[in-house]
Amino acid sequence: MRIDIITVLPEMLDGFVNTSILARAQKKGLVEIHVHNLRDYTLDKHRRVDDYPFGGFAGMVMACQPIDACISALKAEREYDEVIFTTPDGEQFDQPMANELSLKRNLIILCGHYKGIDYRIREHLITKEVSIGDYVLTGGELAAAVMSDAIVRLVPGVLSDEQSALSDSFQDNLLAAPVYTRPADYKGWKVPEVLLSGHEAKIKEWELAQSLERTQRLRPDLLEEK
Ligand code: SAM
């Protein structure tokens, strides 16, 4: 899988892209992540990518030309499954969307800034608009980072133990069961007996019961028919 992230602040993503799960996935040759500086595509001699909004509104708007040039250059190289724009008014990012996007080959993620991007880009070039929550960030870089992390860890082979992702919260619309590690007794705080029993079927049964109980109590909305 390949993810191309377009941003005016590549330095915000450099560390993230080269650390932890994303670094490991790239080293294994399973994923490629490329960060593109939008300013490299502007025709403006001062490398500006924004301009004043028509209508006299407050703030600045990212202009069509550099975004179009960058997306067109990428599309000339390969086909993209989705051209995603990060935006607070987009479809809410969740685990099912991460699952779906992890099956794609090539994704573009465009990070907005300022008041956002010229709406014509959204109408003509964007295929999917995604929000990471009902709050407004200064730019789309954190949203792109959140999405890339959640997507890449689902790509087969990226996690050393693939079963681990399957038992994470939101897979099967359930919250994860609690987890424990050694020692089995810490200051008298004990690990549930069943986990020490070595009885696989009973442990599975306990895990499912815990998941159901926690989901019912903490996120009953996940159990509702959609
Ligand atoms: N004026 C825009 C609005 O009210 O919808 C908000 C612009 S925000 C200051 C700048 C950029 O940050 C957005 O274009 C978007 O790319 C990104 N952004 C902000 N909040 C986000 C969120 N919740 N999810 C995804 N991207 C977000």
Side-chain angles (χ1 to χ4, degrees), residues 85-89 111-116 130-133 135-140 143:
F85 176 49
T86 59
T87 178
D89 58 6
C111 307
H113 244 275
Y114 319 114
K115 283 302 277 181
V130 182
S131 163
I132 60 160
Y135 40 79
V136 175
L137 299 163
T138 308

Side-chain angles (χ1 to χ4, degrees), residues 42-114:
T42 179
L43 297 176
D44 183 87
K45 61 175 190 289
H46 303 296
R47 286 175 53 87
R48 283 184 62 164
V49 294
D50 60 327
D51 210 332
Y52 293 97
F54 284 123
F57 300 115
M60 299 298 280
V61 175
M62 288 168 73
C64 288
Q65 181 275 317
I67 299 176
D68 182 24
C70 183
I71 292 177
S72 300
L74 291 171
K75 279 180 163 177
E77 296 291 324
R78 66 197 65 78
E79 273 190 26
Y80 283 89
D81 299 288
E82 298 284 8
V83 181
I84 299 169
F85 176 49
T86 59
T87 178
D89 58 6
E91 188 185 341
Q92 177 89 36
F93 186 66
D94 57 12
Q95 195 63 30
M97 195 193 291
N99 287 339
E100 186 193 312
L101 292 174
S102 74
L103 302 173
K104 307 290 186 195
R105 280 175 65 81
N106 298 315
L107 299 174
I108 291 177
I109 304 180
L110 170 63
C111 307
H113 244 275
Y114 319 114

Side-chain angles (χ1 to χ4, degrees), residues 49 82 118 153 206:
V49 294
E82 298 284 8
D118 189 307
R153 69 197 299 284
W206 174 89

Side-chain angles (χ1 to χ4, degrees), residues 10-66:
E11 59 277 20
M12 245 183 107
L13 290 162
D14 284 346
F16 171 74
V17 160
N18 296 310
T19 329
S20 184
I21 204 81
L22 297 194
R24 216 180 319 149
Q26 290 178 94
K27 255 189 214 126
K28 283 186 180 175
L30 298 167
V31 173
E32 276 181 51
I33 302 190
H34 299 267
V35 178
H36 306 273
N37 187 344
L38 190 62
R39 292 186 200 284
D40 294 343
Y41 294 85
T42 179
L43 297 176
D44 183 87
K45 61 175 190 289
H46 303 296
R47 286 175 53 87
R48 283 184 62 164
V49 294
D50 60 327
D51 210 332
Y52 293 97
F54 284 123
F57 300 115
M60 299 298 280
V61 175
M62 288 168 73
C64 288
Q65 181 275 317

